[in-house]
Amino acid sequence: MDQTTVPSRPPLNGVDTPRLLATINLVGQQPELAKFQFRATNRWQLGTHSRTTVESFSGASGEHRHVRTFEFDADHPAVLVGGDNGVTPVEFLLVALASCLTAGIGNIAAARGVKLSSVESRIEGDIDLRGIFGLPTEGRNGYERIRATFTIAGDAPPEKLQAIVEQSRARSAVYDAIANGVPIDLRVEAAREAAR
């Protein structure tokens, strides 16, 4: 067996483990299949309220559509002069981090043959909002610190469960983007004003 081949395991934790490991083996042999582009379209609603739509993505050498269109509302709460029509954008960042780490834990545990009975997390982020209000601050506009606490139970010793969480952190795309930053290209296109 070469180094890129991972032996198969039965399905576990709701993960189609044979398919997961077959995908890992295939991508190990054809790395170009790992190139993906995810997309989101956002439209302002009113005030600080916006709605983001996610429909399709590209990857594995093709275009793909989700089984349905997903929509997410974001807003600011009343205390931040919003209508509270959705969670704040910075809370979505915490959702993304928790979801990515938890998905990784499920997959990694299944690949290692560990049956999980529960995985819960609490993600907290500390932020000073003076910068986004245009007020003087020595801090940054984004989170100053994020804390993630996982409570995990399964049929493995605590050190193995800890190693699963650590491997998920090491492989998480969202964790990597937050911890290391990512270049963002911002372009503005002037739109024609809609007829009244």
Side-chain angles (χ1 to χ4, degrees):
M1 177 169 54
D2 70 49
Q3 293 178 329
T4 60
T5 302
V6 180
S8 190
R9 288 188 178 274
L12 187 61
N13 302 325
V15 175
D16 184 346
T17 314
R19 188 171 172 193
L20 169 66
L21 297 176
T23 300
I24 291 170
N25 289 332
L26 183 61
V27 172
Q29 296 164 7
Q30 299 177 48
E32 67 278 4
L33 295 176
K35 301 292 185 182
F36 276 70
Q37 181 188 78
F38 293 101
R39 303 180 276 263
T41 303
N42 180 278
R43 186 174 298 271
W44 172 66
Q45 301 298 299
L46 189 65
T48 57
H49 179 203
S50 68
R51 182 167 295 131
T52 301
T53 303
V54 178
E55 298 178 276
S56 64
F57 58 94
S58 66
S61 300
E63 281 291 322
H64 307 275
R65 294 190 72 74
H66 286 285
V67 293
R68 67 181 175 89
T69 298
F70 295 97
E71 291 187 337
F72 306 94
D73 283 89
D75 201 353
H76 291 178
V79 70
L80 292 175
V81 199
D84 214 7
N85 293 293
V87 300
T88 65
V90 291
E91 288 170 314
F92 268 119
L93 187 66
L94 301 181
V95 170
L97 179 60
S99 301
C100 190
L101 290 169
T102 301
I105 288 167
N107 279 340
I108 293 163
R112 291 185 177 191
V114 173
K115 183 175 182 182
L116 297 172
S117 51
S118 70
V119 180
E120 294 183 16
S121 63
R122 180 169 179 81
I123 312 290
E124 301 170 325
D126 302 326
I127 190 169
D128 182 336
L129 297 179
R130 286 178 292 174
I132 69 167
F133 287 127
L135 298 171
T137 179
E138 293 176 8
R140 52 186 299 176
N141 291 349
Y143 283 118
E144 297 165 351
R145 177 163 300 280
I146 295 175
R147 288 173 304 286
T149 304
F150 278 84
T151 304
I152 180 171
D155 68 353
E159 46 292 340
K160 189 166 187 177
L161 295 172
Q162 172 74 33
I164 289 169
V165 174
E166 178 54 34
Q167 186 175 2
S168 177
R169 183 205 59 79
R171 292 189 178 172
S172 167
V174 175
Y175 184 96
D176 177 77
I178 294 170
N180 299 308
V182 62
I184 299 174
D185 299 321
L186 179 64
R187 186 175 70 207
V188 178
E189 298 173 352
R192 189 175 288 182
E193 189 158 346
R196 297 185 195 277

